[in-house]
Amino acid sequence: MNISKPLTLLVVAFFSFAMAYAQDVELTKKDSIVQSYWLVSLGTNVVDDSGDEFGRLFDIGDAWNAVPYPSRLSFGRYFKNGLGLEAIGSYNKYKEGKIVDNNVNPEDVDYWGLDFRVSYDLNMILGHMGFFDPYVGIGAGYTDANNQGRGTYNAVLGFRTWLSDHWGLDFNSTGKWAMDTENATNHIQHAIGVAYRFDVEKGLSRKGEEKLALLQEMEKEQQRVQDSIAKAEEEARLLAERLQKEKEAAELAAAEKAKREAEEARRDALQTKINDLGNVYFKLNSSYLTSKDKELLDQLVVIMNDEPGLKIRVTAHTDSRGTEKYNQWLSERRAERTVDYVISKGISADRISHEAFGETQLVNECADGVYCTEDKHAKNRRSEFIIIEF
């Protein structure tokens, strides 16, 4: 029986389907990544020049020096090959009473630094990790610290976390070794800042390159069929295998998506059930629970007993009256009392945590200097409940 004609029709039909499928496999914004850009960042810095900064890295209370305002500015250029050049200016102040060069500092002393560095994007080795962008670098600079100028050799370790194509946060720590080792000491400078990148040039991510390769391969397959229909039997078999793999992958992806959607729906329903209980509201300048508050928390305990895997976080807040420091302390007390009551009802401590926000998350316009009725202020004196695991 001559099967070449049916096979030819089958191959043509298959490639017609493949071209229709290829129209759905398109490159999108998600398939592109930032490859080169200019960067400017503004933030703050912390200097540890205690004399034992590499032995006691986190001696915050005795050795870390910082000023309460933006104190670090950087500007740089980053290239497609992962290398970056950056200039950094920073200011700080050695505080009276801190440990500097193994001695208690007798008075406040200015710190100035100007540094230049070459950095390398570790994503070039690790593969693109989305918003997480680690890097290492080396460089040199000049520092005027403790009334003494010094040249330094620098080494940096840090990462940036990108919130969008342009905006992100920069975290890094730099070791600075004095060139004049006889008259100057080494120190560490930590920094955090808001980063903005511009003149951004983007390219395909690894996933985007795979998509492009898939599209190109489909076009080549179609061209090969048009050029040599005689190879229809073998090509049909190979393409059928590929189609089966793609179908299985699509079914697996659909199943995983359905599972995620079901979990999200269950989480939303559970959060709605908790939200329907309402919030715990406190009296002015009070962190004590009323009998009504305890009834609400008893209902929350019932829900948590019905859902053994449920973990929640209590967020506590105040109105804007009073100082920020007092309101932060008061919200912490409210959070602790709320959590302690739930734990007293038999809920394990590892299932309920808390976080205090003071007056930073008002639900209305009642900020400092704004006149509001007591009813409006009362809406801000609250404890809320957020699911963190279920």
Side-chain angles (χ1 to χ4, degrees), residues 270-387:
L270 194 54
Q271 184 67 63
T272 299
K273 186 175 181 180
I274 293 175
N275 292 344
D276 289 343
L277 298 178
N279 299 327
V280 171
Y281 290 98
F282 295 90
K283 295 181 179 179
L284 179 63
N285 292 327
S286 173
S287 62
Y288 289 95
L289 300 171
T290 66
S291 57
K292 182 178 179 181
D293 298 331
K294 292 178 180 179
E295 290 177 0
L296 184 152
L297 293 176
D298 289 339
Q299 296 178 60
L300 177 63
V301 169
V302 171
I303 293 175
M304 296 186 74
N305 284 330
D306 291 340
E307 299 285 344
L310 176 62
K311 294 183 180 181
I312 66 170
R313 176 181 293 119
V314 176
T315 62
H317 311 265
T318 70
D319 60 31
S320 63
R321 292 175 291 183
T323 66
E324 291 183 3
K325 182 177 181 180
Y326 170 75
N327 284 335
Q328 182 62 33
W329 172 85
L330 181 58
S331 65
E332 289 172 357
R333 293 289 295 161
R334 288 172 174 173
E336 289 169 358
R337 290 189 186 276
T338 304
V339 170
D340 289 345
Y341 181 83
V342 173
I343 292 175
S344 72
K345 293 299 180 177
I347 298 301
S348 174
D350 63 359
R351 295 183 60 199
I352 182 167
S353 59
H354 67 273
E355 189 169 3
F357 293 95
E359 61 180 82
T360 62
Q361 295 188 2
L362 303 176
V363 298
N364 51 33
E365 74 278 11
C366 298
D368 291 338
V370 177
Y371 172 77
C372 284
T373 64
E374 176 59 27
D375 287 343
K376 284 191 173 182
H377 279 303
K379 291 180 179 179
N380 291 311
R381 302 192 300 267
R382 68 200 189 277
S383 281
E384 300 173 329
F385 313 102
I386 302 172
I387 294 176

Side-chain angles (χ1 to χ4, degrees), residues 107-126:
E107 61 182 358
D108 289 356
V109 181
D110 287 340
Y111 172 102
W112 298 91
L114 179 62
D115 302 290
F116 300 90
R117 75 183 185 204
V118 178
S119 62
Y120 185 74
D121 187 352
L122 294 180
N123 277 342
M124 301 296 291
I125 300 174
L126 303 175

